[in-house]
Amino acid sequence: MSTQIATLSQENNISTIKLDDGKANAFSYEMLTKFNELLAEVPRDSGSLVISGREGIFSGGFDLKTLATGDMDKIHKMVTLGYKTLLDLYAFDRPIIAAVSGHSIALGLFVTCCADYRIALDGQYICQANEVRNHMDIPTQIMEILKARVNKNYFYPAVYHSDAYSMRDSIAVGYIDEVVPEDTFMDRVMTKAKELSSLPHPFYVNTKKFAQGDVIEKIANAIKKYEKLTAR
């Protein structure tokens, strides 16, 4: 694994966190810890945030190697931090643009769904909430985000049936806002990031809280309940 599994760059009031573990960009505890360290350096009263993956993969979700260990302490530690990361992103004070550079699966997709605007690289990539097909349920702290993002006509196949969608089909589902060719992908991402960075503070975040406050509270309460149930 690369020592730089996530990096932060800042230019012209735009912060960019790039995920790159050299593999599937799995959200291990180490990846989540590094991601949160970088997130803490992003201004909350100005600008915008871009979250990008590596070429061909945005993120494949939680680290399967950790899940396969059967070590419940390690699993709960990773999963809890994952849930808290989603909450922070969903309630983030400034606009987030997801630069979906490839496959966006499971937790990777949920991070994508937390963004205000989601731009995908055109190609043979998919978005998929694959939990049910992998013998896992989708808890409240994630379900509330999906309910806010997935279009009603696609909710059953996308969430209950774990259907996979191409990037172009993901627009209708509600996962993605636009799909852009490779040669203009990051230019379009940064153009949108610049546009959204001009939204004034605190009016943006206040409006977001008015619109999402009830969902944010449900997610926070579900995380507290999960922590209590898994406390050792």
Side-chain angles (χ1 to χ4, degrees):
M1 181 181 291
S2 170
T3 57
Q4 295 295 320
I5 55 178
T7 56
L8 172 65
S9 59
Q10 295 173 317
E11 184 177 358
N12 297 328
N13 217 24
I14 300 169
S15 300
T16 301
I17 295 178
K18 181 179 177 64
L19 309 175
D20 188 355
D21 67 358
K23 299 176 183 179
N25 274 349
F27 279 108
S28 62
Y29 182 77
E30 291 73 22
M31 173 72 90
L32 286 163
T33 299
K34 182 62 176 179
F35 182 85
N36 279 275
E37 288 174 356
L38 299 177
L39 194 61
E41 298 181 33
V42 176
R44 304 263 175 154
D45 59 356
S46 64
S48 61
L49 168 64
V50 172
I51 302 175
S52 174
R54 60 192 297 267
E55 185 176 354
I57 184 83
F58 181 73
S59 172
F62 275 124
D63 180 42
L64 296 180
K65 290 183 179 179
T66 301
L67 296 175
T69 64
D71 186 326
M72 298 312 296
D73 286 335
K74 288 184 178 179
I75 292 171
H76 290 152
K77 189 177 179 182
M78 177 184 72
V79 170
T80 300
L81 185 54
Y83 292 156
K84 289 181 176 180
T85 301
L86 290 178
L87 176 59
D88 194 14
L89 294 175
Y90 188 72
F92 202 72
D93 289 356
R94 296 302 299 164
I96 298 176
I97 301 87
V100 187
S101 54
H103 300 300
S104 183
I105 298 170
L107 186 63
L109 177 60
F110 308 143
V111 169
T112 297
C113 287
C114 286
D116 296 78
Y117 202 80
R118 295 144 289 171
I119 301 174
L121 177 65
D122 196 10
Q124 299 300 310
Y125 309 119
I126 63 168
C127 289
Q128 184 181 25
N130 63 1
E131 278 69 16
V132 173
R133 290 195 181 275
N134 286 327
H135 306 279
M136 294 181 282
D137 53 23
I138 299 178
T140 298
Q141 49 270 42
I142 293 175
M143 187 64 73
E144 288 297 324
I145 295 170
L146 290 173
K147 285 164 63 177
R149 293 292 189 252
V150 177
N151 291 329
K152 184 177 179 180
N153 290 344
Y154 287 89
F155 198 85
Y156 270 76
V159 179
Y160 295 165
H161 307 162
S162 298
D163 283 1
Y165 296 91
S166 69
M167 291 302 174
R168 291 189 175 276
D169 288 344
S170 290
I171 295 175
V173 178
Y175 289 147
I176 298 296
D177 291 297
E178 62 177 288
V179 177
V180 178
E182 183 177 5
D183 59 346
T184 57
F185 176 61
M186 285 308 299
D187 286 342
R188 174 57 185 150
V189 168
M190 299 311 289
T191 296
K192 190 65 180 181
K194 182 179 180 180
E195 173 194 328
L196 295 185
S197 72
S198 68
L199 292 172
H201 180 80
F203 307 101
Y204 166 81
V205 66
N206 288 344
T207 300
K208 190 174 190 178
K209 287 177 180 177
F210 296 148
Q212 299 181 181
D214 57 338
V215 175
I216 291 169
E217 184 176 2
K218 287 180 181 178
I219 295 171
N221 288 339
I223 292 172
K224 290 178 183 177
K225 183 177 180 180
Y226 175 80
E227 287 184 292
K228 185 176 181 180
L229 290 172
T230 58
R232 291 177 181 270

